Amino acid sequence: MNPGGTFQQKLKQLQAFSHLIPGMIIIRRMDDFCPVFISEKGLKSLGKELTEIQAEPDNFQNAYFHNEDLFDYREKLAGIQTMAENTSSFSFFQQIKLAQENEWIWHSCSAEIFHLDEQGKSTHIITIANPVNHLKHLPNKLNRLVAENLFFKQNLEKFLLLGKREKEVLRLVALGKKLSRNR
C-alpha cells in the first residue's frame, strides 16, 4: 500500500473497494499477529465475525491456518518487518480451513507490509489469499512438497551422519539408478 497516510486512512480506502478484490484479504498487526480487518469474502469463507476472531487470535490462527505449511513464512515476515520501505512482498502456499469445507483448502497467498510507523517500522501486514483447489494437479503437488519437507526435517540428522560414499549411493538410488557390484 502507499506509505502515505495514517493506518486508519489506508484501511478506510481499502474497505471501500475490498469487495472488488478476488480472494480473502486479512490485515494483521505485526506485534501480536491479531487480525484488525478481514474482507467480507474472508469472513463469509471462515464463517465468523471479526469480533469473534479478535476475541481469540491464537485460536483463529490454529483453527483456520495449517501452520505446518508456513515453511519459512515467519522468517520472511521477520525480514520484511525491519525494512523501511513497504515494497517487499512475498508469496507462499497455505492450507486454510473454510467454514463450508470438511478439509483443508490450498490457497495461494501474497503478503506485504500495509503500514509503517513514523520510525519506518512495519506495524501491519496485508495478506491476500486465493483458493487453488480448482487446479486439480496443484494441491497434489503441494501435499507432496509438504510431505517431502517434513521427511527432510525428520531425517536431516541421520543424513548428516552418512559418509561421502553412502550419500552418493543414496543420491543415485533417489535418481532411480541401479547399483552394480564390481568385484
Side-chain angles (χ1 to χ4, degrees), residues 22-37:
M24 181 185 316
I25 304 170
I26 302 175
I27 297 178
R28 298 176 190 227
R29 290 190 300 255
M30 294 292 280
D31 59 356
D32 62 3
F33 219 49
C34 182
V36 295
F37 172 78

Side-chain angles (χ1 to χ4, degrees), residues 18-132:
S18 65
H19 65 283
L20 299 173
I21 298 174
M24 181 185 316
I25 304 170
I26 302 175
I27 297 178
R28 298 176 190 227
R29 290 190 300 255
M30 294 292 280
D31 59 356
D32 62 3
F33 219 49
C34 182
V36 295
F37 172 78
I38 301 177
S39 64
E40 284 300 316
K41 289 176 186 173
L43 293 172
K44 184 178 178 184
S45 295
L46 298 173
K48 294 273 187 178
E49 294 296 321
L50 183 59
T51 53
E52 293 176 274
I53 292 168
Q54 290 172 327
E56 298 183 51
D58 289 336
N59 186 43
F60 169 68
Q61 181 67 24
N62 295 325
Y64 293 99
F65 300 92
H66 200 278
N67 292 319
E68 291 177 13
D69 301 333
L70 292 178
F71 298 123
D72 57 350
Y73 173 71
R74 296 265 184 196
E75 190 175 304
K76 288 182 179 181
L77 183 59
I80 69 167
Q81 189 171 5
T82 58
M83 294 185 164
E85 300 175 11
N86 86 9
T87 57
S88 180
S89 66
F90 61 95
S91 298
F92 56 99
F93 288 100
Q94 171 137 37
Q95 293 182 78
I96 301 175
K97 185 78 148 193
L98 303 179
Q100 67 275 18
E101 299 291 336
N102 293 327
E103 58 190 44
W104 295 98
I105 303 298
W106 279 105
H107 284 69
S108 172
C109 304
S110 183
E112 183 172 302
I113 295 170
F114 183 76
H115 185 71
L116 303 170
D117 65 14
E118 297 80 25
Q119 291 78 36
K121 185 177 181 213
S122 53
T123 61
H124 293 82
I125 188 166
I126 184 171
T127 304
I128 300 176
N130 289 294
V132 295

